Protein backbone atom coordinates (compact mmCIF):
# COMPACT_ATOMS: atom_id res chain seq x y z
CA UNK A 1 0.00 0.00 0.00
CA UNK A 2 1.58 3.26 -1.13
CA UNK A 3 1.96 5.85 1.64
CA UNK A 4 2.70 9.57 1.34
CA UNK A 5 5.40 10.48 3.87
CA UNK A 6 6.55 13.95 4.86
CA UNK A 7 10.17 13.19 5.87
CA UNK A 8 12.19 16.19 6.99
CA UNK A 9 14.56 17.72 9.48
CA UNK A 10 13.43 20.68 11.55
CA UNK A 11 14.36 22.76 14.56
CA UNK A 12 12.99 22.20 18.04
CA UNK A 13 10.74 25.23 17.50
CA UNK A 14 9.32 23.85 14.26
CA UNK A 15 11.18 25.44 11.36
CA UNK A 16 12.53 23.84 8.17
CA UNK A 17 14.80 26.73 7.29
CA UNK A 18 15.57 30.22 8.53
CA UNK A 19 13.88 33.29 6.98
CA UNK A 20 16.65 33.48 4.33
CA UNK A 21 16.21 29.74 3.50
CA UNK A 22 19.52 28.87 5.14
CA UNK A 23 20.10 25.28 6.30
CA UNK A 24 23.56 25.96 7.76
CA UNK A 25 22.23 25.15 11.24
CA UNK A 26 21.25 21.68 9.95
CA UNK A 27 24.20 20.82 7.73
CA UNK A 28 26.69 21.17 10.62
CA UNK A 29 24.88 18.57 12.81
CA UNK A 30 26.40 15.08 13.18
CA UNK A 31 24.22 12.18 12.00
CA UNK A 32 24.53 8.40 12.39
CA UNK A 33 23.87 7.15 8.85
CA UNK A 34 22.83 3.66 10.00
CA UNK A 35 20.78 4.96 12.91
CA UNK A 36 17.07 5.58 13.45
CA UNK A 37 15.20 7.27 10.55
CA UNK A 38 18.37 7.27 8.44
CA UNK A 39 18.07 8.61 4.92
CA UNK A 40 19.49 5.55 3.13
CA UNK A 41 16.80 3.17 4.39
CA UNK A 42 14.09 5.76 3.87
CA UNK A 43 14.97 6.64 0.27
CA UNK A 44 15.22 2.94 -0.70
CA UNK A 45 11.45 2.70 -0.15
CA UNK A 46 10.54 5.82 -2.13
CA UNK A 47 9.20 5.63 -5.70
CA UNK A 48 8.31 9.28 -6.39
CA UNK A 49 9.08 12.66 -4.86
CA UNK A 50 7.31 16.03 -4.69
CA UNK A 51 8.61 19.41 -3.50
CA UNK A 52 7.77 23.09 -3.65
CA UNK A 53 9.73 25.52 -5.77
CA UNK A 54 11.67 27.15 -2.90
CA UNK A 55 13.00 23.74 -1.91
CA UNK A 56 13.76 22.90 -5.56
CA UNK A 57 15.66 26.14 -6.08
CA UNK A 58 17.62 25.54 -2.87
CA UNK A 59 18.61 22.07 -4.14
CA UNK A 60 19.63 23.47 -7.55
CA UNK A 61 21.84 26.03 -5.81
CA UNK A 62 23.50 23.51 -3.46
CA UNK A 63 23.64 20.10 -5.21
CA UNK A 64 27.16 20.32 -6.59
CA UNK A 65 27.28 16.58 -7.36
CA UNK A 66 24.25 16.72 -9.68
CA UNK A 67 20.59 15.91 -9.18
CA UNK A 68 20.23 13.63 -6.14
CA UNK A 69 16.96 11.80 -6.88
CA UNK A 70 16.82 8.74 -9.13
CA UNK A 71 13.02 8.51 -8.98
CA UNK A 72 10.44 10.72 -10.79
CA UNK A 73 10.20 14.11 -9.07
CA UNK A 74 7.38 16.65 -9.25
CA UNK A 75 8.07 20.32 -8.52
CA UNK A 76 5.06 22.45 -7.64
CA UNK A 77 5.40 25.92 -9.16
CA UNK A 78 3.45 28.58 -11.02
CA UNK A 79 6.67 29.75 -12.69
CA UNK A 80 8.92 28.60 -15.54
CA UNK A 81 11.92 27.07 -13.79
CA UNK A 82 15.05 25.49 -15.26
CA UNK A 83 15.54 21.73 -15.29
CA UNK A 84 18.55 20.29 -13.47
CA UNK A 85 21.59 19.37 -15.54
CA UNK A 86 21.75 15.82 -16.86
CA UNK A 87 18.06 15.55 -17.79
CA UNK A 88 16.76 13.67 -14.73
CA UNK A 89 13.03 12.88 -14.50
CA UNK A 90 11.78 16.21 -13.07
CA UNK A 91 8.25 17.35 -13.90
CA UNK A 92 6.61 20.69 -13.07
CA UNK A 93 2.99 20.97 -11.89
CA UNK A 94 0.71 23.61 -10.37
CA UNK A 95 -2.69 23.85 -8.75
CA UNK A 96 -4.52 21.12 -6.78
CA UNK A 97 -2.27 18.38 -5.44
CA UNK A 98 -4.65 15.39 -5.84
CA UNK A 99 -3.93 14.87 -9.58
CA UNK A 100 -0.21 15.11 -8.80
CA UNK A 101 -0.63 12.50 -6.06
CA UNK A 102 -2.36 10.16 -8.52
CA UNK A 103 0.42 10.54 -11.09
CA UNK A 104 3.06 10.00 -8.41
CA UNK A 105 1.36 6.87 -7.09
CA UNK A 106 1.18 5.44 -10.62
CA UNK A 107 4.87 6.19 -11.20
CA UNK A 108 5.95 4.75 -7.84
CA UNK A 109 4.66 1.24 -8.67
CA UNK A 110 3.82 0.31 -5.07
CA UNK A 111 6.65 2.18 -3.37
CA UNK A 112 6.01 5.12 -1.02
CA UNK A 113 5.83 8.80 -1.95
CA UNK A 114 7.94 11.54 -0.35
CA UNK A 115 6.86 15.12 0.14
CA UNK A 116 10.19 16.85 0.74
CA UNK A 117 8.67 20.20 1.74
CA UNK A 118 7.93 22.91 2.36
CA UNK A 119 5.41 22.84 5.13
CA UNK A 120 2.51 24.40 3.27
CA UNK A 121 2.87 21.88 0.44
CA UNK A 122 2.75 19.01 2.96
CA UNK A 123 -0.32 20.77 4.35
CA UNK A 124 -1.97 20.85 0.92
CA UNK A 125 -1.70 17.04 0.74
CA UNK A 126 -2.91 16.72 4.33
CA UNK A 127 -5.92 18.97 3.60
CA UNK A 128 -6.91 16.45 0.90
CA UNK A 129 -6.52 13.52 3.32
CA UNK A 130 -3.57 12.23 1.27
CA UNK A 131 -0.80 12.49 3.88
CA UNK A 132 -0.08 9.32 5.86
CA UNK A 133 3.01 9.97 7.99
CA UNK A 134 5.30 12.73 9.19
CA UNK A 135 8.86 11.67 9.97
CA UNK A 136 10.98 14.35 11.61
CA UNK A 137 14.59 14.63 12.70
CA UNK A 138 14.53 17.42 15.24
CA UNK A 139 17.82 19.29 15.54
CA UNK A 140 18.98 20.81 18.84
CA UNK A 141 18.46 24.32 17.48
CA UNK A 142 15.85 27.06 17.74
CA UNK A 143 15.53 29.81 15.11
CA UNK A 144 12.63 31.90 16.38
CA UNK A 145 11.41 32.49 12.82
CA UNK A 146 11.65 30.88 9.40
CA UNK A 147 9.89 28.40 7.11
CA UNK A 148 7.36 26.49 9.19
CA UNK A 149 7.24 22.69 9.48
CA UNK A 150 3.47 22.45 8.99
CA UNK A 151 1.42 25.67 9.16
CA UNK A 152 -1.88 23.93 9.95
CA UNK A 153 -3.88 22.68 12.97
CA UNK A 154 -3.85 18.87 12.90
CA UNK A 155 -4.03 15.97 15.31
CA UNK A 156 -1.24 13.40 14.94
CA UNK A 157 -0.50 10.06 16.58
CA UNK A 158 3.04 9.34 17.79
CA UNK A 159 4.11 5.97 16.32
CA UNK A 160 7.79 5.91 17.19
CA UNK A 161 10.51 8.04 18.76
CA UNK A 162 14.28 7.54 18.98
CA UNK A 163 17.59 9.36 19.15
CA UNK A 164 20.04 9.71 16.25
CA UNK A 165 23.23 11.48 17.37
CA UNK A 166 21.98 14.91 18.47
CA UNK A 167 18.57 14.56 16.77
CA UNK A 168 15.24 13.46 18.20
CA UNK A 169 13.66 11.34 15.48
CA UNK A 170 9.90 10.84 15.50
CA UNK A 171 7.28 9.18 13.33
CA UNK A 172 3.72 10.50 13.54
CA UNK A 173 0.63 9.17 11.79
CA UNK A 174 -1.53 11.90 10.29
CA UNK A 175 -4.95 11.79 11.98
CA UNK A 176 -6.87 14.83 10.68
CA UNK A 177 -8.03 18.34 11.56
CA UNK A 178 -7.53 19.30 15.20
CA UNK A 179 -10.40 17.87 17.25
CA UNK A 180 -11.14 21.30 18.78
CA UNK A 181 -11.76 22.71 15.27
CA UNK A 182 -14.41 20.13 14.38
CA UNK A 183 -17.86 21.68 14.10
N1 LIG B 1 14.92 21.05 6.99
C1 LIG B 1 14.74 20.28 5.92
O1 LIG B 1 15.07 19.09 5.90
C2 LIG B 1 14.04 20.88 4.74
C3 LIG B 1 13.21 20.10 3.95
C4 LIG B 1 12.54 20.69 2.91
C5 LIG B 1 12.72 22.04 2.64
N2 LIG B 1 13.56 22.76 3.40
C6 LIG B 1 13.75 24.20 3.17
O2 LIG B 1 12.60 24.83 3.71
C7 LIG B 1 12.23 25.92 2.87
C8 LIG B 1 10.80 25.68 2.39
O3 LIG B 1 10.40 26.74 1.63
P1 LIG B 1 8.83 27.16 1.49
O4 LIG B 1 8.21 27.15 2.82
O5 LIG B 1 8.82 28.41 0.66
O6 LIG B 1 8.18 25.97 0.68
P2 LIG B 1 8.27 25.24 -0.72
O7 LIG B 1 7.13 24.29 -0.70
O8 LIG B 1 9.62 24.69 -0.98
O9 LIG B 1 7.98 26.37 -1.83
C9 LIG B 1 6.79 27.09 -1.83
C10 LIG B 1 6.49 27.56 -3.25
O10 LIG B 1 6.14 26.44 -4.08
C11 LIG B 1 5.17 26.83 -5.04
N3 LIG B 1 3.95 26.04 -4.80
C12 LIG B 1 3.59 25.38 -3.66
N4 LIG B 1 2.42 24.73 -3.84
C13 LIG B 1 2.02 25.00 -5.10
C14 LIG B 1 0.89 24.61 -5.88
N5 LIG B 1 -0.08 23.82 -5.38
N6 LIG B 1 0.82 25.04 -7.17
C15 LIG B 1 1.80 25.84 -7.68
N7 LIG B 1 2.89 26.23 -7.01
C16 LIG B 1 3.01 25.81 -5.72
C17 LIG B 1 4.92 28.33 -4.81
O11 LIG B 1 5.90 29.08 -5.53
P3 LIG B 1 5.85 29.56 -7.09
O12 LIG B 1 4.50 29.24 -7.63
O13 LIG B 1 6.14 31.01 -7.01
O14 LIG B 1 6.95 28.81 -7.74
C18 LIG B 1 5.28 28.48 -3.33
O15 LIG B 1 5.61 29.78 -2.96
C19 LIG B 1 13.25 25.98 1.75
O16 LIG B 1 14.29 26.87 2.13
C20 LIG B 1 13.83 24.58 1.71
O17 LIG B 1 15.16 24.52 1.22
C21 LIG B 1 14.21 22.21 4.46
Amino acid sequence: MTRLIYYTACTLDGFLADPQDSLDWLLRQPIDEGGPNDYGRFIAGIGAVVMGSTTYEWILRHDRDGWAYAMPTWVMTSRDLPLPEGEPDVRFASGPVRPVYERMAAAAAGKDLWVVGGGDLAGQFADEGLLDEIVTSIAPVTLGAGRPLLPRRFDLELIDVARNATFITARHRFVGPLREDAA
Side-chain angles (χ1 to χ4, degrees):
M1 179 74 183
T2 297
R3 298 170 302 162
L4 177 66
I5 303 172
Y6 180 27
Y7 174 97
T8 188
C10 62
T11 67
L12 185 62
D13 57 345
F15 294 105
L16 299 177
D18 84 1
Q20 286 74 43
D21 292 308
S22 172
L23 296 180
D24 291 351
W25 55 271
L26 175 62
L27 300 175
R28 66 177 161 77
Q29 303 295 333
I31 185 95
D32 173 5
E33 284 300 344
N37 282 352
D38 81 296
Y39 181 75
R41 251 175 309 160
F42 169 73
I43 200 70
I46 296 298
V49 171
V50 63
M51 65 184 70
S53 63
T54 312
T55 301
Y56 175 67
E57 290 181 297
W58 187 95
I59 293 170
L60 286 188
R61 284 197 304 276
H62 291 86
D63 258 14
R64 304 197 197 301
D65 299 333
W67 186 248
Y69 307 108
M71 61 291 290
T73 300
W74 275 260
V75 175
M76 301 302 299
T77 185
S78 58
R79 294 173 292 138
D80 283 332
L81 293 176
L83 281 167
E85 285 178 20
E87 299 184 17
D89 188 347
V90 173
R91 313 167 191 199
F92 299 107
S94 68
V97 293
R98 186 173 288 276
V100 175
Y101 175 91
E102 284 162 6
R103 277 177 263 149
M104 289 174 71
K111 285 188 156 186
D112 289 331
L113 315 178
W114 177 21
V115 54
V116 182
D120 182 71
L121 180 60
Q124 293 175 48
F125 286 98
D127 290 343
E128 292 289 319
L130 298 171
L131 183 65
D132 294 291
E133 271 188 32
I134 302 172
V135 180
T136 46
S137 293
I138 303 166
V141 170
T142 63
L143 290 172
R147 309 294 185 191
L149 172 66
L150 189 56
R152 297 287 197 283
R153 291 161 61 92
F154 290 135
D155 273 320
L156 309 171
E157 177 194 355
L158 181 63
I159 302 171
D160 198 13
V161 67
R163 175 179 185 159
N164 183 315
T166 59
F167 291 90
I168 302 165
T169 68
R171 284 177 57 218
H172 287 88
R173 186 177 70 83
F174 175 75
V175 174
L178 200 72
R179 186 186 309 174
E180 289 72 18
D181 294 345

